[in-house]
Amino acid sequence: MIVGGGLAGLAAAMKLAELECDVGLMSLLPVKRAHSACAQGGINSVNNLTQQLGDNEWKHFDDTVYGGDFLQHQPPVKELAYWAPKIIDLMDRMGVTFNRTPEGFRDQRRFGGTLYRRTAFAGATTGQQLLYTLDEQVRRWEVGGKVTKFEFWDFLGPVLDDAGRCRGCVGQDMVTMEIHALPCDAVILASGGNGLLFGRSTNSMACTGAAVSRAYQAGVHYANPEFVQVHPTAIPGADKLRLISESARGEGGRIWVPKKPQDPRQPNDIPENERYYFLEDRYPAYGNLVPRDIATREIFKVCLQEGLSVQQDRPCVYLDVSQLPREMLDRKLSGILEIYEKFQGVDPRVTAMKIFPAVHYTMGGLWCDYERDAEGGLVHGSPRNQQTNVPGIYAIGECDYQFHGANRLGANSLVACIFSGLTVAPGVMAYLDNLPAGGRAADQPSSLFEQAAYKHLADYKALLARPADGPNPYSLHLELGALMTKTATVVRHNPELAAALGKIDELAEQVNVSAVVDKSNWSNQNVVFVRALKDMIPMAKAIVKGALQRDECRGAHFKPEFTVPDVTATEPVQRRRQAEDWCDRFEANNKKWLKTTIADCTAEGGVNLSYEDVDTSLIPPRPRLYGVVGGQVIEEVWKERRKKMMNAE
Amino acid sequence: MLKTITQKPDSFLVRILRQDGPGKKSYWQRFRVPYEADMNAISVLQKIAEIATTVEGEKVAPVVWECNCLEEVCGACTMLIGGRVRQACTALVDHLLADNPAEIELRPMTKFPVIRDLLVNRSRIFASLEKIKAWVPVDSYLDMGSGLRQSQEVQQLAYQYSKCMSCGCCMEACPQFLKIELVRKPGETEDRFRAREHTANMRSFMGAHAIAQVELFNTNPIGAMTAFERLEALTAEGGIQTCGNAQNCVKVCPKDIPLTTAIGREGRAATIHMLRKWFDR
């Protein structure tokens, strides 16, 4: 049973069906409407063009771990980078409408955190196009009888036997409200991120993180909860913050603010020399395409600390594509430009867009395993690949933690979703083959499933029976979202995080008695929402506690208190000494914090944290120096140290 | 440029056609919603879920509706807004109030059976994609190199059709597309009922979206190898011959898909297909 019908879930379903497995596919809504449709910019892989400019798979791998601040285990990332070109080829064969060059090859654009044009794209709705193609393939298998869909179903939890092995799952049909325990030999979670924990984000309404939270509460480890990506460019809105893809910058879009604070003139009337292109100024190599965590912090700083926000009443900066050729904009970016036009009533082809950062991607996720081969890649078809600590439960796509470390690079999520979906399939088949005789779900006593269904039915009935006049769950969700956005996103401070833990406990008390107004036993979305809200609480605690305990800066996790001072001295000897100090601190910090956070849910819904070493055996960690003042001398010192270390070895 | 309001009200009225379940009687309810900047029909429904009280002061269940992406790429939130079929997410309150300051009216689509309130059963849309075999029949998911090269022009044409998000607007607007609403018989299991519904869906008119998907897959170089099968479906019961050429579909498509162009091209292809079959007999 696959839970979640986005790119990862669909890729797994079609591959498993090809391997002659009978697959169930459970989703909150028809799979064609999954959140993957919102991915805009593109999908990364090394390609013929970049290779001739000196690119190779290893560099894609290197960019990904460097961009992720070395927090990922490297073997799965290496495997991903080497598979990526084949994945794009496959999607191409299946009919994805990738943009073309005049000669008919797939066109590529440049994305953040790399200097190569690795990103294939289909207009500015690449995720949608990839999703539809996989949806089509899965429909083909559905007609062929290998895939059974459970659409409009809510995953309530896994069914575990006494030995702790997964034997199935419990789901609720959200139309009829019937609850069923479904025996299955493996459960693959592919349910995406948890952006709704932050109230408004770039995520879709299905991204409550509830399915993941239910697995976490059933004993699956949750890894790196504190790593939350805030995308630099989104349109503020009352119901959600709509993404304006990084591809706008990949195609030449520039970010700027007027040099004169809150300049009242229209952006087109502000001359070039009165504009401050702060990313280009501060990061000459990458310019507007620095990694997302850095772009986000710079926009925050410019608006909130330097007082250069375009508007007084609302923080925002300009994202400007109006200088680019109209024909190109229509051919490559119309999807996102139309979104801006539809929601803001302003044509971005003519006038610069006003944007601000928004919560976007969950780097953390369910902990999962892998089996390393001698070359540092994965053992293909190993049952350990993508398997969580609970035997028989797998995690793929945004809901796993495997590929992006402390910060995800743009256009790497689509490829990671499809890769993990395709790669989990042979592993699951091996897992099924290795089950002992009589060890299939169908061989288990029916009481196991009856009890599981009964427990969830009782919970559901208790929810329905709740008074209609308790605290308002919709208001509580907004409150939780505001708290999480304020304390646990771009800039984090320990006293605020500690206080937030207490506030979450207070909110939890309210959530536990919150009102259920709808008493109907038919298509009751009220109950489904209240239940998802309840399951946001343990996840919120894991995020905040993870952030509180991690006293360092790494990728998207930023605590000003723990920044390392830049190299500012001009006198060479002193400058050298500062760089040595910088590197000392870097090494000491890695010893302490280059570790995966592992969160375990306690019986009371609290969280226990432990830490696990990261496999960095392929690419040794090095300082992440995008735009750091004095970066050059730090790099020199670091290289000398590496040389010494290598000689000593 | 759409009309927008100049004066922001403190609050506004929303009238919603509700229905508690299939076969139940529908009824109107009115809500007063406080005005905020940047609202759309989705944030109105979210607000109503929070208030859950009618203008008469009656405490009621939150309105049931379907939505997901809120940026008009998923197709979930289709409904009738002020009588017009469209996505709720792009229906901005400032524009709706400019059209009708008295109230905003929300109703479920009329061509699909209501499940509850604004939530309708659109399984028929996906059944028609099955019927026309809307996929590229690749040999396997193994590594066989890239797809074929294609011109920018061909890609741009295909992209227009591949943006279809199965939202159902074109079906709602089509005079030939008639509602099919089956009632579960006493003693009929859920699975049996769904199977019967599926059979009925497969025989009924496929609608403009499916015809456009035939155009998409029959112009794909690999898809074209099985064009015959899609043309068979297109000319079978519920196929393109049902189209009455009212051309309403193309006017309501939120993604500006050239549906009537596809219908024209596929109509010709269907005619040739029929003739060829006749001569080959």
Side-chain angles (χ1 to χ4, degrees), chain B residues 158-174:
Chain B
Y159 182 59
Q160 292 189 77
Y161 295 117
S162 67
K163 281 192 298 185
C164 173
M165 51 188 185
S166 301
C167 67
C169 284
C170 57
M171 287 115 153
E172 179 70 24
C174 172

Side-chain angles (χ1 to χ4, degrees), chain A residues 14-15 18 29-30 32-35 37-38 40 86 89-90 92-95 97-106 122-125 128-129 132 136-137 139-143 152 173 175-176 202 204-206 236-240 242-243 314 331 339 342-343 345 468 472 474-475 478 517-518 520 522-526, chain B residues 1 20-22 37-40 42-43 46 49-50 52 59-76 89-90 92 115-116 119 122 126 129-130 134-152 155-156 158-159 162-167 190 194 217 220 222 254:
Chain A
M14 74 175 198
K15 190 67 195 176
E18 186 181 58
L29 62 177
K32 194 175 178 178
R33 313 206 189 285
H35 176 60
C38 290
Q40 299 170 342
K86 297 177 199 164
D89 280 348
L90 173 61
D92 187 9
R93 272 170 59 217
M94 294 191 301
T97 56
F98 287 117
N99 273 56
R100 299 286 159 171
T101 66
E103 202 182 326
F105 292 108
R106 289 190 302 256
T125 60
Q128 182 198 44
Q129 296 301 302
Y132 289 0
E136 288 150 17
Q137 293 299 321
R139 185 164 296 104
R140 186 182 169 200
W141 289 108
E142 192 186 7
V143 172
F152 295 109
D173 181 327
V175 173
T176 64
T202 66
S204 296
M205 294 298 110
D239 51 343
K240 94 172 267 194
R242 293 175 180 84
L243 181 68
R314 188 178 88 179
R331 191 159 46 83
I339 289 176
K342 276 190 176 166
F343 287 94
N472 190 317
Y474 301 94
S475 315
L478 294 179
V517 179
D518 193 346
S520 169
W522 180 260
S523 307
N524 189 328
Q525 293 179 338
N526 192 208
Chain B
M1 196 72 201
D20 296 342
D38 297 328
M39 281 182 113
N40 57 10
I42 297 284
S43 52
Q46 288 174 336
E50 203 180 335
K59 194 91 182 157
V60 295
V63 177
V64 173
W65 88 99
E66 192 182 345
C67 72
N68 197 35
C69 77
L70 310 194
E71 53 194 52
E72 209 185 64
V73 290
C74 82
C89 60
T90 37
L92 305 188
I115 296 172
R116 190 174 169 190
L119 176 67
R122 281 180 283 177
F126 300 109
L129 294 177
E130 269 181 34
W135 52 76
V136 174
V138 290
D139 288 348
S140 76
Y141 306 130
L142 300 173
D143 179 26
M144 309 295 287
S146 73
L148 296 171
R149 276 160 68 181
Q150 57 180 242
S151 70
Q152 290 187 335
Q155 183 271 339
Q156 288 288 300
Y159 182 59
S162 67
K163 281 192 298 185
C164 173
M165 51 188 185
S166 301
C167 67
E190 178 74 15
R194 294 262 162 92
F217 288 99
N220 174 287
I222 310 300

Side-chain angles (χ1 to χ4, degrees), chain A residues 189-211:
Chain A
L189 283 152
S191 56
N194 57 21
L196 256 70
L197 259 166
F198 296 84
R200 289 175 306 159
S201 69
T202 66
N203 284 191
S204 296
M205 294 298 110
C207 306
T208 60

Side-chain angles (χ1 to χ4, degrees), chain A residues 70-296:
Chain A
F70 294 88
L71 199 61
Q72 332 64 333
H73 294 299
Q74 294 178 354
V77 185
K78 180 189 169 209
E79 196 73 21
L80 166 77
Y82 281 80
W83 269 87
K86 297 177 199 164
I87 286 171
I88 316 250
D89 280 348
L90 173 61
M91 298 309 294
D92 187 9
R93 272 170 59 217
M94 294 191 301
V96 174
T97 56
F98 287 117
N99 273 56
R100 299 286 159 171
T101 66
E103 202 182 326
F105 292 108
R106 289 190 302 256
D107 200 359
Q108 275 107 209
R109 54 168 65 122
R110 211 188 114 205
F111 248 66
T114 179
L115 299 171
Y116 295 105
R117 291 159 64 96
R118 284 195 196 118
T119 310
F121 60 99
T125 60
T126 313
Q128 182 198 44
Q129 296 301 302
L130 296 169
L131 177 74
Y132 289 0
T133 297
L134 294 178
D135 172 67
E136 288 150 17
Q137 293 299 321
V138 169
R139 185 164 296 104
R140 186 182 169 200
W141 289 108
E142 192 186 7
V143 172
K146 293 308 281 180
V147 174
T148 309
K149 285 181 185 158
F150 296 81
E151 290 173 330
F152 295 109
W153 277 61
D154 195 12
F155 169 82
L156 301 183
V159 178
L160 306 183
D161 66 14
D162 292 340
R165 185 177 290 274
C166 178
R167 300 299 191 179
C169 68
V170 182
Q172 181 169 34
D173 181 327
M174 298 195 301
V175 173
T176 64
M177 302 312 276
E178 283 171 17
I179 290 175
H180 294 279
L182 306 162
C184 45
D185 292 311
V187 169
I188 305 174
L189 283 152
S191 56
N194 57 21
L196 256 70
L197 259 166
F198 296 84
R200 289 175 306 159
S201 69
T202 66
N203 284 191
S204 296
M205 294 298 110
C207 306
T208 60
V212 163
S213 176
R214 288 163 195 164
Y216 166 63
Q217 292 174 68
V220 180
H221 296 320
Y222 194 86
N224 290 339
E226 65 270 35
F227 290 93
V228 177
Q229 180 163 80
V230 180
H231 194 287
T233 60
I235 321 167
D239 51 343
K240 94 172 267 194
L241 311 171
R242 293 175 180 84
L243 181 68
I244 293 295
S245 163
E246 196 165 298
S247 56
R249 285 171 284 141
E251 296 294 352
R254 303 175 76 187
I255 288 190
W256 61 279
V257 287
K259 283 185 180 163
K260 183 177 152 212
Q262 291 84 49
D263 195 321
R265 288 174 292 181
Q266 283 298 304
N268 288 342
D269 298 334
I270 300 175
E272 205 56 24
N273 62 0
E274 293 178 44
R275 298 175 177 195
Y276 181 25
Y277 295 95
F278 54 95
L279 288 177
E280 295 170 32
D281 188 61
R282 296 173 191 180
Y283 302 90
Y286 288 85
N288 291 290
L289 289 171
V290 282
R292 291 177 175 175
D293 56 326
I294 294 174
T296 293

